Amino acid sequence: MSYRYEDENTPPEPQRASEVAITTHEHVYEVDPRLMELHVLQQTFPNWDTLRIMHARHDHLEWMHHHFAHTTVTGSELIAEIEDPR
Amino acid sequence: MTTTGTSTERVSADLVARVIERLRGVLRPDQILTSKTDRYNRARVPAPFPVHRWRERVPDLAVLPESTEEVAAVVAIANELKCPVVPRDGGTGLTDGAVPLRGGIVVDVKRMNQVHELDLENRTVTVGTGINMLKLNEQLATHGLIYPDDPASYPCSLVGGRIGTSGWSLIGARYGHTRDLVLSFDFVLPTGEILHVGDGAGGKISKSSSGYQLKHLFMGHQGTLGIATKATLKLYPKPEAELSPFWAFDDYDAAYRFTGALTRAGVATFAGAVLFDEYKVAYLRRDDEAYIPQPADVRALTCAVLYGWEDEVRVGGKRLFRIAKEHGARYLGDEISEGDWAARHDRYATPLHGRTKTGQVVPMSWHCEDAAVNYTNVPAVTKAWHDIVADLRRRTDVFDDWGMFAYTSADTGVDYLTEIDVGIWEQRLDDDAWSMWVKAKRDIAAAALAHGGSISACHGSCREGEVDLVPRELGRGFDVMLGVKRMLDPNNIMNPGKYLLDFAYQGDVSAQLAELRNLP
């Protein structure tokens, strides 16, 4: 968390990700603010909370994998084994 | 049309007072709930509905029984006083099974969430039906076991609701669905009598040819035949390994052909495949962080999931990857494959929004219409359903087409749970928009039937709109349903108003049924 209030409530400069989405923090996608002017109003959101939600989502998905199986086999491993069966 | 054969009569205040007085003789005071919040919260289900009519769906009281005997005592009183009873488990169903249409008593089974017996030798567990599968599996994992009933509401639905709806499981192609996983259960009939039902004698028997096969009759009735209170479930070893590859295609037809090839491959650890159509991918690319960065030529997707011992999963997985290569599939990568599959176990926790036709974001609720459709008819049903929702969208911004999935129901790929996700702007869902939606639901069901399908693979078909077509789908079987209902529930107290079952009490209804069967 930053020392200054303004720092903590100012996300990184947005980058365009698609015609309707932007990114702020790495891996954090948001709807283009121009599309949220009539029916959904935006609010100031602290950086630490944005990152907490993103990390919590990742933790949740990781938990779900372990809940259903002990390990996860990846597709890239299998492709490598098919292409180089040694 | 849907109101045919139903009434909206509510319970009188005098009857409510008499019911409460009698219930005090069989339950503690803390088990009888009459406050506004207790009652309104138990009228709530995830399927969008006209919120301004919430009051019509509120029960007069709720009870929290803790045993089969207490449930039986409550139902016996209700039957004697002719007061409606509605069973409620997780309240996660999408066809309003847990919604009281005539007030009365909601029987909330959440306190019956104990593990009564774990039989490690026979691989069964006997539980109260108020237990949630996720919480049950946390306990079973300590023994290396799993109860693999896996709906999209996995973290919040309960075993009893799965019985009442005869639920569908994401990994049912490997492990079977609720009907296959529940061996037997105790069941309170509408008269308050207690029945144990399973194959033959029930208990821990998985296959019997003795007598009628009654277990299926008491599953999937949406609470209209009684209340399951204690169930014995089949257990499996917790999988050592999981594999969930996602593949991309330039067009829907290629993804469709590939999905069929995967399901026909006969891989033993294959637990399911999901086909994402072009509308679904467009929706995800618009609003899902995992798909926003995907290139424009990703237009349709197929995912598969395998569970089992790691050596089996690796061998089976390689076979599927070879099929993928033959079909020109492009692997989407480990991160999206693993992340998206893990999220499929928990679709009810996703905050949602939709768009107006001008592109502005609006808060929307998710609704999903489903059907069971044979593989060869999935493309035709997909097109018909999108046309129906496109017509709604042309007329109003209340509805937004979020695309379609087709999920394998069986290990051979014979039929698919075909679903269309529709965003609904509930704040604008007035009576006119609701009428449009009900008609669309009826049209969606009719399209499934016209292509040899069933109205529902998963949710049930007792909600306004689709329910009108149930007599057509079941044919003479619907008349049998009416007879069974009349015999088991002589006073029509068990979840009245659902599935057009009021017809069971109205004498000769052949003309009304003929009219429903001839609906365009």
Side-chain angles (χ1 to χ4, degrees), chain B residues 206-266:
Chain B
S206 77
K207 174 69 180 77
S208 163
S209 292
S210 181
Y212 290 175
Q213 302 296 300
L214 293 177
K215 185 179 86 175
H216 285 210
L217 175 61
F218 293 103
M219 300 186 79
H221 52 82
Q222 299 286 342
T224 62
L225 290 182
I227 305 174
T229 56
K230 187 195 272 191
T232 298
L233 316 173
K234 201 160 107 176
L235 302 180
Y236 286 80
K238 178 174 174 175
E240 185 179 35
E242 170 191 83
L243 169 68
S244 54
F246 278 55
W247 292 281
F249 293 87
D250 293 350
D251 63 72
Y252 173 81
D253 291 344
Y256 165 74
R257 286 192 297 271
F258 174 57
T259 305
L262 285 182
T263 59
R264 290 190 293 267

Short mmCIF file of all heavy atoms in Angstrom, two decimals, chain B residues 206-266:
data_model
loop_
_atom_site.label_atom_id
_atom_site.label_comp_id
_atom_site.label_asym_id
_atom_site.label_seq_id
_atom_site.Cartn_x
_atom_site.Cartn_y
_atom_site.Cartn_z
N SER B 206 -27.00 -51.03 -5.50
CA SER B 206 -26.92 -50.17 -6.68
C SER B 206 -27.76 -50.69 -7.84
O SER B 206 -28.09 -49.95 -8.76
CB SER B 206 -25.47 -50.01 -7.14
OG SER B 206 -25.04 -51.16 -7.82
N LYS B 207 -28.10 -51.98 -7.82
CA LYS B 207 -28.88 -52.55 -8.92
C LYS B 207 -29.76 -53.67 -8.40
O LYS B 207 -29.26 -54.63 -7.83
CB LYS B 207 -27.93 -53.08 -10.01
CG LYS B 207 -28.62 -53.83 -11.15
CD LYS B 207 -29.48 -52.91 -12.02
CE LYS B 207 -30.16 -53.68 -13.14
NZ LYS B 207 -31.33 -54.45 -12.67
N SER B 208 -31.05 -53.50 -8.57
CA SER B 208 -31.99 -54.54 -8.19
C SER B 208 -33.06 -54.62 -9.27
O SER B 208 -33.40 -53.62 -9.90
CB SER B 208 -32.64 -54.20 -6.85
OG SER B 208 -33.82 -54.98 -6.69
N SER B 209 -33.58 -55.82 -9.49
CA SER B 209 -34.71 -55.98 -10.42
C SER B 209 -35.97 -56.33 -9.67
O SER B 209 -36.92 -56.84 -10.25
CB SER B 209 -34.39 -57.08 -11.45
OG SER B 209 -33.36 -56.66 -12.30
N SER B 210 -35.98 -56.10 -8.38
CA SER B 210 -37.13 -56.47 -7.56
C SER B 210 -38.15 -55.32 -7.51
O SER B 210 -37.85 -54.23 -7.05
CB SER B 210 -36.62 -56.79 -6.14
OG SER B 210 -37.69 -57.17 -5.33
N GLY B 211 -39.34 -55.59 -8.00
CA GLY B 211 -40.41 -54.61 -7.93
C GLY B 211 -40.26 -53.48 -8.94
O GLY B 211 -39.39 -53.50 -9.81
N TYR B 212 -41.16 -52.49 -8.82
CA TYR B 212 -41.08 -51.30 -9.68
C TYR B 212 -39.83 -50.50 -9.34
O TYR B 212 -39.37 -50.50 -8.19
CB TYR B 212 -42.31 -50.40 -9.47
CG TYR B 212 -43.62 -50.95 -9.98
CD1 TYR B 212 -44.81 -50.26 -9.75
CD2 TYR B 212 -43.69 -52.13 -10.70
CE1 TYR B 212 -46.02 -50.73 -10.21
CE2 TYR B 212 -44.90 -52.61 -11.17
CZ TYR B 212 -46.06 -51.91 -10.92
OH TYR B 212 -47.26 -52.39 -11.37
N GLN B 213 -39.33 -49.77 -10.30
CA GLN B 213 -38.15 -48.92 -10.06
C GLN B 213 -38.65 -47.55 -9.60
O GLN B 213 -38.83 -46.61 -10.39
CB GLN B 213 -37.32 -48.81 -11.35
CG GLN B 213 -36.85 -50.16 -11.88
CD GLN B 213 -35.89 -50.85 -10.90
OE1 GLN B 213 -34.84 -50.32 -10.58
NE2 GLN B 213 -36.28 -52.03 -10.43
N LEU B 214 -38.89 -47.45 -8.30
CA LEU B 214 -39.55 -46.26 -7.77
C LEU B 214 -38.59 -45.09 -7.56
O LEU B 214 -39.02 -43.95 -7.43
CB LEU B 214 -40.24 -46.59 -6.45
CG LEU B 214 -41.44 -47.55 -6.56
CD1 LEU B 214 -41.99 -47.85 -5.17
CD2 LEU B 214 -42.52 -46.98 -7.45
N LYS B 215 -37.29 -45.39 -7.50
CA LYS B 215 -36.35 -44.31 -7.17
C LYS B 215 -36.49 -43.13 -8.13
O LYS B 215 -36.55 -41.97 -7.71
CB LYS B 215 -34.92 -44.86 -7.19
CG LYS B 215 -33.89 -43.83 -6.73
CD LYS B 215 -32.49 -44.41 -6.73
CE LYS B 215 -31.84 -44.28 -8.09
NZ LYS B 215 -30.44 -44.73 -8.10
N HIS B 216 -36.57 -43.43 -9.41
CA HIS B 216 -36.63 -42.34 -10.38
C HIS B 216 -37.92 -41.53 -10.26
O HIS B 216 -37.94 -40.33 -10.56
CB HIS B 216 -36.49 -42.88 -11.81
CG HIS B 216 -35.09 -43.28 -12.14
ND1 HIS B 216 -34.56 -43.22 -13.40
CD2 HIS B 216 -34.09 -43.72 -11.36
CE1 HIS B 216 -33.30 -43.61 -13.38
NE2 HIS B 216 -33.01 -43.93 -12.15
N LEU B 217 -39.00 -42.17 -9.82
CA LEU B 217 -40.25 -41.44 -9.66
C LEU B 217 -40.10 -40.33 -8.63
O LEU B 217 -40.68 -39.25 -8.78
CB LEU B 217 -41.37 -42.42 -9.23
CG LEU B 217 -42.73 -41.80 -8.91
CD1 LEU B 217 -43.30 -41.08 -10.12
CD2 LEU B 217 -43.69 -42.86 -8.40
N PHE B 218 -39.32 -40.61 -7.59
CA PHE B 218 -39.18 -39.64 -6.51
C PHE B 218 -37.94 -38.76 -6.68
O PHE B 218 -37.44 -38.18 -5.73
CB PHE B 218 -39.20 -40.35 -5.16
CG PHE B 218 -40.55 -40.97 -4.87
CD1 PHE B 218 -40.75 -42.33 -5.01
CD2 PHE B 218 -41.62 -40.17 -4.52
CE1 PHE B 218 -42.00 -42.90 -4.77
CE2 PHE B 218 -42.87 -40.71 -4.27
CZ PHE B 218 -43.06 -42.08 -4.40
N MET B 219 -37.46 -38.68 -7.90
CA MET B 219 -36.39 -37.73 -8.25
C MET B 219 -36.91 -36.85 -9.40
O MET B 219 -37.61 -37.33 -10.28
CB MET B 219 -35.13 -38.47 -8.70
CG MET B 219 -34.56 -39.38 -7.63
SD MET B 219 -32.97 -40.12 -8.10
CE MET B 219 -31.87 -38.78 -7.77
N GLY B 220 -36.55 -35.59 -9.36
CA GLY B 220 -36.91 -34.70 -10.47
C GLY B 220 -38.34 -34.23 -10.47
O GLY B 220 -38.82 -33.69 -11.46
N HIS B 221 -39.04 -34.39 -9.35
CA HIS B 221 -40.46 -33.98 -9.28
C HIS B 221 -40.60 -32.52 -8.85
O HIS B 221 -41.71 -32.03 -8.72
CB HIS B 221 -41.20 -34.90 -8.30
CG HIS B 221 -40.51 -34.99 -6.97
ND1 HIS B 221 -40.66 -34.03 -6.01
CD2 HIS B 221 -39.61 -35.89 -6.50
CE1 HIS B 221 -39.90 -34.36 -4.96
NE2 HIS B 221 -39.25 -35.47 -5.24
N GLN B 222 -39.48 -31.83 -8.61
CA GLN B 222 -39.49 -30.42 -8.21
C GLN B 222 -40.31 -30.20 -6.94
O GLN B 222 -41.01 -29.19 -6.79
CB GLN B 222 -40.02 -29.54 -9.36
CG GLN B 222 -39.19 -29.60 -10.62
CD GLN B 222 -37.86 -28.85 -10.51
OE1 GLN B 222 -37.67 -28.02 -9.63
NE2 GLN B 222 -36.94 -29.16 -11.41
N GLY B 223 -40.21 -31.13 -6.04
CA GLY B 223 -40.88 -30.95 -4.75
C GLY B 223 -42.37 -31.16 -4.78
O GLY B 223 -43.06 -30.83 -3.81
N THR B 224 -42.91 -31.72 -5.84
CA THR B 224 -44.37 -31.90 -5.91
C THR B 224 -44.83 -33.23 -5.33
O THR B 224 -46.04 -33.44 -5.18
CB THR B 224 -44.87 -31.81 -7.37
OG1 THR B 224 -44.27 -32.86 -8.13
CG2 THR B 224 -44.52 -30.47 -7.99
N LEU B 225 -43.90 -34.13 -5.02
CA LEU B 225 -44.30 -35.44 -4.48
C LEU B 225 -43.83 -35.67 -3.06
O LEU B 225 -44.17 -36.68 -2.45
CB LEU B 225 -43.78 -36.58 -5.38
CG LEU B 225 -44.42 -36.71 -6.76
CD1 LEU B 225 -43.84 -37.90 -7.50
CD2 LEU B 225 -45.94 -36.85 -6.66
N GLY B 226 -43.01 -34.78 -2.51
CA GLY B 226 -42.55 -34.98 -1.14
C GLY B 226 -41.16 -34.41 -0.92
O GLY B 226 -40.66 -33.63 -1.72
N ILE B 227 -40.55 -34.85 0.20
CA ILE B 227 -39.29 -34.24 0.63
C ILE B 227 -38.28 -35.33 0.97
O ILE B 227 -38.51 -36.16 1.86
CB ILE B 227 -39.52 -33.35 1.87
CG1 ILE B 227 -40.61 -32.30 1.58
CG2 ILE B 227 -38.21 -32.67 2.29
CD1 ILE B 227 -41.01 -31.47 2.78
N ALA B 228 -37.15 -35.35 0.28
CA ALA B 228 -36.07 -36.28 0.61
C ALA B 228 -35.34 -35.77 1.85
O ALA B 228 -35.04 -34.56 1.95
CB ALA B 228 -35.10 -36.39 -0.57
N THR B 229 -35.05 -36.65 2.78
CA THR B 229 -34.48 -36.19 4.06
C THR B 229 -33.13 -36.81 4.39
O THR B 229 -32.34 -36.22 5.12
CB THR B 229 -35.44 -36.53 5.22
OG1 THR B 229 -35.71 -37.95 5.19
CG2 THR B 229 -36.74 -35.75 5.09
N LYS B 230 -32.86 -38.01 3.92
CA LYS B 230 -31.60 -38.69 4.22
C LYS B 230 -31.26 -39.56 3.01
O LYS B 230 -32.14 -40.29 2.52
CB LYS B 230 -31.75 -39.56 5.47
CG LYS B 230 -30.44 -40.19 5.96
CD LYS B 230 -30.70 -41.31 6.95
CE LYS B 230 -30.79 -40.81 8.37
NZ LYS B 230 -30.78 -41.96 9.34
N ALA B 231 -30.01 -39.48 2.54
CA ALA B 231 -29.68 -40.18 1.29
C ALA B 231 -28.37 -40.95 1.41
O ALA B 231 -27.44 -40.51 2.10
CB ALA B 231 -29.57 -39.18 0.14
N THR B 232 -28.32 -42.09 0.74
CA THR B 232 -27.09 -42.88 0.66
C THR B 232 -26.50 -42.70 -0.73
O THR B 232 -27.18 -42.90 -1.74
CB THR B 232 -27.37 -44.36 0.96
OG1 THR B 232 -27.87 -44.45 2.30
CG2 THR B 232 -26.10 -45.19 0.84
N LEU B 233 -25.24 -42.30 -0.77
CA LEU B 233 -24.59 -41.89 -2.00
C LEU B 233 -23.41 -42.79 -2.34
O LEU B 233 -22.74 -43.33 -1.45
CB LEU B 233 -24.07 -40.45 -1.86
CG LEU B 233 -25.02 -39.44 -1.20
CD1 LEU B 233 -24.31 -38.11 -0.96
CD2 LEU B 233 -26.27 -39.25 -2.05
N LYS B 234 -23.17 -42.91 -3.64
CA LYS B 234 -22.07 -43.73 -4.16
C LYS B 234 -20.79 -42.90 -4.18
O LYS B 234 -20.81 -41.74 -4.62
CB LYS B 234 -22.46 -44.14 -5.57
CG LYS B 234 -21.78 -45.33 -6.14
CD LYS B 234 -22.63 -45.85 -7.30
CE LYS B 234 -22.03 -45.56 -8.63
NZ LYS B 234 -22.77 -46.12 -9.76
N LEU B 235 -19.68 -43.50 -3.75
CA LEU B 235 -18.42 -42.74 -3.70
C LEU B 235 -17.37 -43.34 -4.64
O LEU B 235 -17.38 -44.53 -4.94
CB LEU B 235 -17.87 -42.75 -2.27
CG LEU B 235 -18.81 -42.19 -1.20
CD1 LEU B 235 -18.15 -42.26 0.17
CD2 LEU B 235 -19.22 -40.77 -1.53
N TYR B 236 -16.45 -42.47 -5.07
CA TYR B 236 -15.35 -42.85 -5.95
C TYR B 236 -14.03 -42.41 -5.32
O TYR B 236 -14.01 -41.53 -4.47
CB TYR B 236 -15.50 -42.16 -7.30
CG TYR B 236 -16.60 -42.72 -8.17
CD1 TYR B 236 -17.93 -42.36 -7.96
CD2 TYR B 236 -16.32 -43.60 -9.21
CE1 TYR B 236 -18.94 -42.87 -8.75
CE2 TYR B 236 -17.33 -44.11 -10.02
CZ TYR B 236 -18.63 -43.74 -9.78
OH TYR B 236 -19.64 -44.25 -10.57
N PRO B 237 -12.92 -43.00 -5.78
CA PRO B 237 -11.63 -42.46 -5.34
C PRO B 237 -11.50 -41.02 -5.83
O PRO B 237 -11.87 -40.72 -6.98
CB PRO B 237 -10.60 -43.35 -6.05
CG PRO B 237 -11.33 -44.56 -6.52
CD PRO B 237 -12.76 -44.15 -6.70
N LYS B 238 -10.99 -40.15 -4.99
CA LYS B 238 -10.72 -38.78 -5.45
C LYS B 238 -9.70 -38.86 -6.58
O LYS B 238 -8.66 -39.52 -6.43
CB LYS B 238 -10.19 -37.92 -4.32
CG LYS B 238 -9.85 -36.50 -4.77
CD LYS B 238 -9.46 -35.60 -3.62
CE LYS B 238 -8.98 -34.26 -4.16
NZ LYS B 238 -8.69 -33.30 -3.10
N PRO B 239 -9.97 -38.22 -7.73
CA PRO B 239 -9.04 -38.36 -8.86
C PRO B 239 -7.62 -37.92 -8.51
O PRO B 239 -7.43 -36.91 -7.83
CB PRO B 239 -9.64 -37.44 -9.92
CG PRO B 239 -11.08 -37.34 -9.57
CD PRO B 239 -11.14 -37.41 -8.08
N GLU B 240 -6.68 -38.69 -9.01
CA GLU B 240 -5.29 -38.29 -8.81
C GLU B 240 -4.97 -37.11 -9.74
O GLU B 240 -4.22 -36.22 -9.36
CB GLU B 240 -4.37 -39.47 -9.15
CG GLU B 240 -2.92 -39.20 -8.87
CD GLU B 240 -2.05 -40.41 -9.19
OE1 GLU B 240 -2.35 -41.15 -10.15
OE2 GLU B 240 -1.05 -40.62 -8.46
N ALA B 241 -5.54 -37.12 -10.94
CA ALA B 241 -5.16 -36.09 -11.91
C ALA B 241 -6.37 -35.58 -12.68
O ALA B 241 -7.37 -36.29 -12.88
CB ALA B 241 -4.14 -36.65 -12.90
N GLU B 242 -6.23 -34.34 -13.13
CA GLU B 242 -7.24 -33.66 -13.94
C GLU B 242 -6.55 -33.09 -15.18
O GLU B 242 -5.41 -32.64 -15.09
CB GLU B 242 -7.83 -32.51 -13.10
CG GLU B 242 -8.71 -31.54 -13.83
CD GLU B 242 -9.00 -30.31 -12.96
OE1 GLU B 242 -8.16 -29.39 -12.94
OE2 GLU B 242 -10.04 -30.30 -12.30
N LEU B 243 -7.24 -33.13 -16.30
CA LEU B 243 -6.74 -32.49 -17.52
C LEU B 243 -7.94 -31.79 -18.17
O LEU B 243 -9.00 -32.40 -18.31
CB LEU B 243 -6.17 -33.54 -18.48
CG LEU B 243 -5.86 -33.06 -19.91
CD1 LEU B 243 -4.68 -32.08 -19.92
CD2 LEU B 243 -5.53 -34.26 -20.82
N SER B 244 -7.77 -30.52 -18.55
CA SER B 244 -8.93 -29.78 -19.08
C SER B 244 -8.53 -28.89 -20.26
O SER B 244 -8.62 -27.68 -20.18
CB SER B 244 -9.56 -28.93 -17.98
OG SER B 244 -8.58 -28.08 -17.40
N PRO B 245 -8.09 -29.48 -21.36
CA PRO B 245 -7.64 -28.66 -22.49
C PRO B 245 -8.78 -27.93 -23.19
O PRO B 245 -9.88 -28.45 -23.35
CB PRO B 245 -7.01 -29.70 -23.43
CG PRO B 245 -7.66 -30.99 -23.07
CD PRO B 245 -7.97 -30.92 -21.62
N PHE B 246 -8.48 -26.69 -23.62
CA PHE B 246 -9.40 -25.89 -24.43
C PHE B 246 -8.77 -25.71 -25.81
O PHE B 246 -7.59 -25.37 -25.92
CB PHE B 246 -9.61 -24.50 -23.80
CG PHE B 246 -10.64 -24.48 -22.70
CD1 PHE B 246 -10.54 -25.32 -21.60
CD2 PHE B 246 -11.71 -23.59 -22.75
CE1 PHE B 246 -11.47 -25.30 -20.58
CE2 PHE B 246 -12.65 -23.55 -21.74
CZ PHE B 246 -12.54 -24.41 -20.66
N TRP B 247 -9.58 -25.89 -26.85
CA TRP B 247 -9.09 -25.73 -28.22
C TRP B 247 -9.95 -24.69 -28.95
O TRP B 247 -11.17 -24.64 -28.75
CB TRP B 247 -9.17 -27.05 -28.98
CG TRP B 247 -8.24 -28.11 -28.50
CD1 TRP B 247 -6.90 -28.22 -28.77
CD2 TRP B 247 -8.57 -29.25 -27.69
NE1 TRP B 247 -6.39 -29.36 -28.18
CE2 TRP B 247 -7.39 -30.01 -27.52
CE3 TRP B 247 -9.74 -29.72 -27.10
CZ2 TRP B 247 -7.35 -31.20 -26.78
CZ3 TRP B 247 -9.70 -30.89 -26.36
CH2 TRP B 247 -8.52 -31.62 -26.22
N ALA B 248 -9.31 -23.96 -29.86
CA ALA B 248 -10.01 -22.91 -30.62
C ALA B 248 -10.17 -23.31 -32.08
O ALA B 248 -9.36 -24.08 -32.62
CB ALA B 248 -9.22 -21.61 -30.52
N PHE B 249 -11.21 -22.74 -32.69
CA PHE B 249 -11.49 -22.98 -34.12
C PHE B 249 -11.91 -21.68 -34.79
O PHE B 249 -12.40 -20.76 -34.14
CB PHE B 249 -12.63 -24.00 -34.26
CG PHE B 249 -12.25 -25.38 -33.79
CD1 PHE B 249 -12.39 -25.72 -32.46
CD2 PHE B 249 -11.73 -26.31 -34.67
CE1 PHE B 249 -12.04 -26.97 -32.00
CE2 PHE B 249 -11.37 -27.57 -34.23
CZ PHE B 249 -11.52 -27.90 -32.89
N ASP B 250 -11.74 -21.67 -36.12
CA ASP B 250 -12.16 -20.50 -36.90
C ASP B 250 -13.68 -20.40 -37.00
O ASP B 250 -14.23 -19.34 -37.21
CB ASP B 250 -11.63 -20.58 -38.35
CG ASP B 250 -10.14 -20.48 -38.40
OD1 ASP B 250 -9.54 -20.15 -37.36
OD2 ASP B 250 -9.57 -20.74 -39.48
N ASP B 251 -14.35 -21.54 -36.92
CA ASP B 251 -15.81 -21.50 -37.08
C ASP B 251 -16.48 -22.60 -36.25
O ASP B 251 -15.84 -23.57 -35.81
CB ASP B 251 -16.21 -21.63 -38.56
CG ASP B 251 -15.78 -22.95 -39.16
OD1 ASP B 251 -16.40 -23.97 -38.82
OD2 ASP B 251 -14.82 -22.97 -39.95
N TYR B 252 -17.77 -22.40 -36.08
CA TYR B 252 -18.58 -23.29 -35.24
C TYR B 252 -18.60 -24.72 -35.79
O TYR B 252 -18.49 -25.69 -35.02
CB TYR B 252 -20.00 -22.74 -35.15
CG TYR B 252 -20.98 -23.66 -34.46
CD1 TYR B 252 -21.05 -23.72 -33.07
CD2 TYR B 252 -21.85 -24.46 -35.20
CE1 TYR B 252 -21.94 -24.57 -32.44
CE2 TYR B 252 -22.76 -25.31 -34.57
CZ TYR B 252 -22.79 -25.37 -33.19
OH TYR B 252 -23.67 -26.22 -32.56
N ASP B 253 -18.77 -24.86 -37.10
CA ASP B 253 -18.92 -26.20 -37.68
C ASP B 253 -17.72 -27.09 -37.37
O ASP B 253 -17.87 -28.28 -37.06
CB ASP B 253 -19.11 -26.11 -39.20
CG ASP B 253 -20.46 -25.50 -39.55
OD1 ASP B 253 -21.33 -25.45 -38.66
OD2 ASP B 253 -20.63 -25.07 -40.70
N ALA B 254 -16.52 -26.51 -37.44
CA ALA B 254 -15.31 -27.29 -37.16
C ALA B 254 -15.27 -27.71 -35.68
O ALA B 254 -14.93 -28.85 -35.35
CB ALA B 254 -14.07 -26.47 -37.52
N ALA B 255 -15.64 -26.77 -34.80
CA ALA B 255 -15.65 -27.10 -33.36
C ALA B 255 -16.69 -28.16 -33.06
O ALA B 255 -16.48 -29.06 -32.24
CB ALA B 255 -15.92 -25.83 -32.56
N TYR B 256 -17.83 -28.07 -33.74
CA TYR B 256 -18.92 -29.05 -33.55
C TYR B 256 -18.46 -30.45 -33.97
O TYR B 256 -18.65 -31.43 -33.24
CB TYR B 256 -20.13 -28.59 -34.36
CG TYR B 256 -21.20 -29.65 -34.55
CD1 TYR B 256 -22.03 -30.02 -33.50
CD2 TYR B 256 -21.37 -30.26 -35.80
CE1 TYR B 256 -23.00 -30.99 -33.68
CE2 TYR B 256 -22.35 -31.22 -35.97
CZ TYR B 256 -23.16 -31.59 -34.93
OH TYR B 256 -24.13 -32.55 -35.09
N ARG B 257 -17.81 -30.53 -35.15
CA ARG B 257 -17.34 -31.85 -35.62
C ARG B 257 -16.30 -32.42 -34.65
O ARG B 257 -16.31 -33.61 -34.33
CB ARG B 257 -16.75 -31.73 -37.03
CG ARG B 257 -17.78 -31.55 -38.12
CD ARG B 257 -17.16 -31.72 -39.51
NE ARG B 257 -16.15 -30.71 -39.79
CZ ARG B 257 -16.41 -29.53 -40.35
NH1 ARG B 257 -17.65 -29.21 -40.68
NH2 ARG B 257 -15.43 -28.67 -40.58
N PHE B 258 -15.43 -31.56 -34.17
CA PHE B 258 -14.37 -32.01 -33.24
C PHE B 258 -14.98 -32.49 -31.92
O PHE B 258 -14.57 -33.53 -31.38
CB PHE B 258 -13.41 -30.85 -33.00
CG PHE B 258 -12.37 -31.13 -31.96
CD1 PHE B 258 -11.51 -32.22 -32.06
CD2 PHE B 258 -12.24 -30.31 -30.84
CE1 PHE B 258 -10.55 -32.48 -31.09
CE2 PHE B 258 -11.29 -30.56 -29.87
CZ PHE B 258 -10.44 -31.65 -30.00
N THR B 259 -15.98 -31.77 -31.42
CA THR B 259 -16.62 -32.17 -30.16
C THR B 259 -17.21 -33.57 -30.30
O THR B 259 -17.06 -34.42 -29.41
CB THR B 259 -17.73 -31.16 -29.77
OG1 THR B 259 -17.16 -29.85 -29.73
CG2 THR B 259 -18.33 -31.49 -28.42
N GLY B 260 -17.85 -33.82 -31.44
CA GLY B 260 -18.41 -35.15 -31.68
C GLY B 260 -17.33 -36.22 -31.71
O GLY B 260 -17.49 -37.30 -31.14
N ALA B 261 -16.22 -35.89 -32.35
CA ALA B 261 -15.11 -36.86 -32.44
C ALA B 261 -14.54 -37.17 -31.06
O ALA B 261 -14.23 -38.33 -30.75
CB ALA B 261 -14.02 -36.32 -33.36
N LEU B 262 -14.41 -36.16 -30.21
CA LEU B 262 -13.89 -36.39 -28.86
C LEU B 262 -14.78 -37.34 -28.07
O LEU B 262 -14.30 -38.27 -27.42
CB LEU B 262 -13.83 -35.07 -28.09
CG LEU B 262 -12.75 -34.05 -28.41
CD1 LEU B 262 -12.87 -32.86 -27.47
CD2 LEU B 262 -11.36 -34.67 -28.28
N THR B 263 -16.08 -37.09 -28.14
CA THR B 263 -17.00 -37.89 -27.32
C THR B 263 -17.13 -39.31 -27.83
O THR B 263 -17.45 -40.22 -27.07
CB THR B 263 -18.39 -37.24 -27.26
OG1 THR B 263 -18.91 -37.13 -28.58
CG2 THR B 263 -18.34 -35.87 -26.63
N ARG B 264 -16.88 -39.50 -29.11
CA ARG B 264 -16.99 -40.85 -29.68
C ARG B 264 -15.69 -41.65 -29.55
O ARG B 264 -15.63 -42.81 -29.96
CB ARG B 264 -17.39 -40.76 -31.16
CG ARG B 264 -18.83 -40.29 -31.37
CD ARG B 264 -19.26 -40.46 -32.82
NE ARG B 264 -18.54 -39.56 -33.70
CZ ARG B 264 -18.95 -38.36 -34.09
NH1 ARG B 264 -20.10 -37.90 -33.64
NH2 ARG B 264 -18.23 -37.61 -34.89
N ALA B 265 -14.65 -41.03 -28.97
CA ALA B 265 -13.34 -41.68 -28.94
C ALA B 265 -13.27 -42.84 -27.94
O ALA B 265 -12.39 -43.68 -28.02
CB ALA B 265 -12.26 -40.64 -28.60
N GLY B 266 -14.21 -42.87 -26.98
CA GLY B 266 -14.23 -43.98 -26.04
C GLY B 266 -13.11 -43.97 -25.02
O GLY B 266 -12.68 -45.01 -24.54
#
